Amino acid sequence: MSFGGSSNVCWSIQLLPQIIINYRRHDTEGLQGSMMLLWAVAGVPLGVYNIVEEFNIALRIQPQILTTLSLLTWAQCLYYGKKYRIMKCCVAVTSLLLLLGGIEAGLIFALRAAKSRGLEWPLIVMAVLSACLLAAGVLRHYWDIYVHRTVRGISFIFVGIDAAGDLFSLVSVLFGSTIDVLGIIIYGTELTLWMGIFICGGVFNLRPWIKERSEQRDGNLQDPVSLHPMPSSTSVFRTASGSEVIGRRPWQSS
């Protein structure tokens, strides 16, 4: 499988772990709905850029999947977070899908015509806009991390898959027929931001969890009769929802 195909697979399933966790929790507290909306919109200029620049098929399909899954996750934020009715969520998602799809189709025809006339700046605008929107979506979580001093509401499985998709996309662009600097910037920026989320998870979620386990182990050695509740090892990189941040330690899973 090519790197472009690998990235497409990653981006096809990247939000599924997040969607599943939201469904199981019946809660999206801590997950930034604005991030999902920004990503949905980012899929438009990214799709226009990849299609007009005639990237491989995988990279052309990739932004369409990004927009669809982002809107589905955004709908969960509306349903679980803002308590919208299912019908209202469906109408909102369908309307946005049609609107964004129409805008993307129109821009593809317009920018192809511009490119045939030797105009390159419209494509540059699309590349910069998509990079800014993708980065802005991830940066929303950095603010939440700063405020709450924990990585909450977001699935690290989702983060890992998305980062892998960015990495494969980056390699695919690097090994293309021509090296596209703007493509490198788009995928490289988001990959860097996701790595930062992992680092924050290590600092605010994993390190306290390790410290807690060490303290509990020491307590067990001193008093072998007493029993201490131990968090599951699978909870290390699962983030707590906002409703549990006060009542539970931030490194414990929901």
Side-chain angles (χ1 to χ4, degrees):
M1 182 183 293
S2 66
F3 287 111
S6 299
S7 70
N8 197 37
V9 170
C10 289
W11 277 34
S12 297
I13 64 173
Q14 60 172 341
L15 277 168
L16 293 181
Q18 186 67 57
I19 291 171
I20 292 170
I21 285 179
N22 294 342
Y23 173 76
R24 287 178 176 175
R25 291 175 175 171
H26 297 289
D27 186 14
T28 55
E29 188 73 28
L31 179 64
Q32 305 301 311
S34 56
M35 169 188 171
M36 296 296 101
L37 199 54
L38 285 167
W39 273 22
V41 176
V44 173
L46 182 59
V48 172
Y49 183 79
N50 288 0
I51 291 172
V52 175
E53 285 287 45
E54 299 181 348
F55 285 174
N56 60 62
I57 297 296
L59 292 181
R60 297 185 197 186
I61 297 174
Q62 188 184 81
Q64 324 312 323
I65 297 173
L66 171 66
T67 294
T68 302
L69 291 180
S70 296
L71 285 178
L72 287 176
T73 312
W74 175 67
Q76 286 187 313
C77 293
L78 296 180
Y79 181 72
Y80 293 122
K82 296 188 176 181
K83 308 303 179 184
Y84 282 22
R85 291 178 298 175
I86 292 180
M87 183 58 66
K88 190 174 183 180
C89 294
C90 291
V91 170
V93 169
T94 303
S95 300
L96 273 177
L97 273 174
L98 293 174
L99 177 62
L100 295 176
I103 292 173
E104 182 175 345
L107 286 173
I108 289 171
F109 285 111
L111 268 67
R112 276 178 173 170
K115 185 179 180 181
S116 66
R117 296 176 184 175
L119 294 176
E120 294 293 336
W121 67 263
L123 279 174
I124 296 175
V125 171
M126 290 295 104
V128 172
L129 183 59
S130 62
C132 290
L133 289 171
L134 289 170
V138 182
L139 285 171
R140 286 290 290 110
H141 270 288
Y142 276 89
W143 175 252
D144 191 77
I145 292 169
Y146 173 76
V147 172
H148 296 280
R149 291 298 188 273
T150 184
V151 184
R152 65 192 191 118
I154 190 170
S155 165
F156 277 96
I157 299 176
F158 150 58
V159 173
I161 294 174
D162 194 282
D166 287 320
L167 179 60
F168 288 134
S169 297
L170 186 61
V171 174
S172 178
V173 172
L174 287 171
F175 286 91
S177 55
T178 58
I179 295 179
D180 189 280
V181 176
L182 290 176
I184 293 173
I185 292 173
I186 291 172
Y187 296 111
T189 299
E190 193 183 22
L191 177 60
T192 301
L193 290 174
W194 281 137
M195 295 307 296
I197 294 290
F198 268 118
I199 293 172
C200 290
V203 173
F204 294 115
N205 295 53
L206 179 59
R207 189 172 65 177
W209 181 83
I210 292 175
K211 182 179 179 181
E212 174 72 7
R213 291 206 62 168
S214 177
E215 291 175 352
Q216 290 176 339
R217 186 161 47 248
D218 292 342
N220 285 334
L221 290 175
Q222 294 173 4
D223 184 10
V225 177
S226 64
L227 298 176
H228 299 271
M230 298 289 284
S232 168
S233 61
T234 59
S235 71
V236 183
F237 275 117
R238 287 189 182 179
T239 56
S241 65
S243 60
E244 297 169 319
V245 169
I246 296 176
R248 304 177 65 180
R249 294 182 176 87
W251 58 90
Q252 286 183 304
S253 169
S254 60

